[in-house]
Each structure stands twice: as structure tokens, then as C-alpha cells.
Amino acid sequence: MLVLLPPSEGKASSGRGAPLKPESLSLPGLGGARQAVLAELVELCSGDEDKAREVLGLSEGLRGEVAKNAGLLTAGARPAGEIYTGVLYDALGLATLDAAAKRRAARSLLVFSGLWGAVRVADRIPSYRCSMGVKLPGLGALCAHWRTPMASVLPEAAGDGLVLDLRSAAYAAAWKPKGEVAGRTASVRVLHAPTRKVVSHFNKATKGRIVRSLLTAGAAPGSPAELVEVLRELGYAVEAEAPAKAGRAWALDVLVDEVH
């Protein structure tokens, strides 16, 4: 099973670890595209600070993120699972998983990123600020930049198992499973049970809890249909819709009472 996650806007500090070693990151087929984004981001943030803030869409209060990006090549690196924070990652609670569940997380979780393309939670990266919606002056829109390399790399990473897609729209646009891979992909929404409306804050928390539940249970569903049954056994209210045509992903709705 491969679980596709969005990153978090907020991130923990880099700390004092050894600096980034780009060649050590998972999915080496993304290496060239990573290097291009990294080089331009560092150059951008080492120059005119106001221009960098405008390009990155940062408020005055986030001015310090520009300096953080300028120092990416020498900043300390930590496992991505420690760098990403926020509602989803708080609910997932990687640090509090038992050893077996942590091993499953290292194998199955893939976090999408405007800077790195996608990384596994054990990959060591520095803290940064660069969303998938950014349009760099040289490379252009990052979403478009990542599509070609991901189209060749991600199907291999998916293997022949289930793909559980929990990404937000901006990150989902960087790679859309196609053909046979799409047929074993399940895309999840979180809906308010009484109204069937998509929830906001609780959406992230629920997705984090779903991943934690699967990891702690040692569940290994091999298809979207099996995933539906596993989630129901784990106590989630799930409605599923099989694709009308081959080569399309399954749509799963997880129903919750909270809407925060």
C-alpha cells in the first residue's frame, strides 16, 4: 500500500543535524527536478527579500521564511516525518507509533512537496517554505514542473498494490494516477454525515487518524474494495463509489459528525 499525503504549511525547525544530502532522498528519479527547484529557490531567497516574499506568497509576518530558504544547503536536516507538523500530522502521531507501525510508515507513506516533489517520512530534509502553488520566475508553475518526472517515477513507487490518495487538490494535480494504477487508487473525502458537506479542519484530522489506524492495525488492503471493508472494521463510516469506467480512481467518502 502506498499512501499519498499533502505536506504541512507549518514545519518544525531544521535543528542541528547534518545538512541535506540530495542523493540520499528516496525516488532518485526525481533528483534532477529537485535540484532545479532547490537551486532556484535558494537563489531567489538569497536576493531581493520582498520579491521572494511575493513569489512565495508570504505575508510580512512570514518574512523569516525567506532567510530559511536561502540557507537550505547548509541547514540541518531531519526526517521528513519530524519536519511536517499541523493537524494531519498531529493526528497521525508518527513519533508515538510502535516500532512495527513506524516501519510500515517508512515503507508506505509518501509526502508530496513543492520543493522535493515527494519524499518518504524517513528522508532527511531541512525545514523550508515552498508550496506546490508557487510559480518560480525561471521554472514556472511547480505543479507543471513536477508532472513529467512524476509520471515516470510514481507508477514504479506504487508497485502493484493499493494507492490511498489523501492529498489536497494542489498536490493531487502534480500526479494523477492513470490506467491500471488509477483502477487500484482510492481518493478520500471527509464529509459531515448529516449534511454531506465537505468538512475543513476535521478533514485533515480524520485523514491523519485513518492513516494511524491502518498502520497500527497492520492492515494491508490490496484493493479499494478491501480498503472499504478494513476501514469499516476499524470503526469508520465509509461510502464508496466504484469508478464508472476502467482507468479511474475509486471515490471514498468518510462520514463524520464533527465539522471543525
Side-chain angles (χ1 to χ4, degrees), residues 36-49:
V37 179
L38 179 60
E40 184 170 352
L41 183 62
V42 169
E43 181 180 5
L44 171 70
C45 293
S46 298
D48 186 320
E49 192 173 82

Side-chain angles (χ1 to χ4, degrees), residues 2-90:
L2 185 67
V3 182
L4 311 181
L5 297 174
S8 58
E9 286 296 323
K11 298 173 183 70
S13 63
S14 294
R16 297 183 178 180
L20 170 73
K21 294 181 179 179
E23 68 278 5
S24 71
L25 298 179
S26 301
L27 309 180
L30 299 179
R34 285 172 177 148
Q35 186 57 42
V37 179
L38 179 60
E40 184 170 352
L41 183 62
V42 169
E43 181 180 5
L44 171 70
C45 293
S46 298
D48 186 320
E49 192 173 82
D50 289 327
K51 178 182 177 181
R53 279 203 306 117
E54 180 180 358
V55 170
L56 297 174
L58 301 177
S59 66
E60 174 66 31
L62 293 173
R63 182 177 290 270
E65 299 294 290
V66 175
K68 177 192 293 185
N69 284 346
L72 283 172
L73 298 178
T74 56
R78 296 168 59 187
E82 297 177 11
I83 291 290
Y84 294 115
T85 59
V87 176
L88 188 154
Y89 291 91
D90 286 347

Side-chain angles (χ1 to χ4, degrees), residues 46-170:
S46 298
D48 186 320
E49 192 173 82
D50 289 327
K51 178 182 177 181
R53 279 203 306 117
E54 180 180 358
V55 170
L56 297 174
L58 301 177
S59 66
E60 174 66 31
L62 293 173
R63 182 177 290 270
E65 299 294 290
V66 175
K68 177 192 293 185
N69 284 346
L72 283 172
L73 298 178
T74 56
R78 296 168 59 187
E82 297 177 11
I83 291 290
Y84 294 115
T85 59
V87 176
L88 188 154
Y89 291 91
D90 286 347
L92 171 53
L94 285 169
T96 61
L97 293 173
D98 62 35
K102 286 180 179 177
R103 289 193 294 271
R104 296 183 196 108
R107 291 193 303 267
S108 62
L109 305 189
L110 201 61
V111 184
F112 276 61
S113 162
L115 173 52
W116 313 114
V119 292
R120 297 193 184 276
V121 293
D123 286 339
R124 299 181 66 85
I125 59 173
S127 185
Y128 67 96
R129 190 70 173 234
C130 183
S131 72
M132 190 65 81
V134 165
K135 183 181 291 186
L136 292 175
L139 292 176
L142 290 179
C143 185
H145 171 76
W146 286 112
R147 284 191 189 121
T148 297
M150 285 194 177
S152 61
V153 172
L154 267 293
E156 182 179 353
D160 58 3
L162 170 71
V163 178
L164 174 55
D165 192 351
L166 301 177
R167 297 172 296 168
S168 53

Side-chain angles (χ1 to χ4, degrees), residues 10 68 76 101 104 115 122 154 165 171 183 185 198 216 219 223 229 235 249-250:
K68 177 192 293 185
R104 296 183 196 108
L115 173 52
L154 267 293
D165 192 351
Y171 293 90
T185 296
V198 176
T216 55
S223 68
E229 294 307 312
W250 281 57

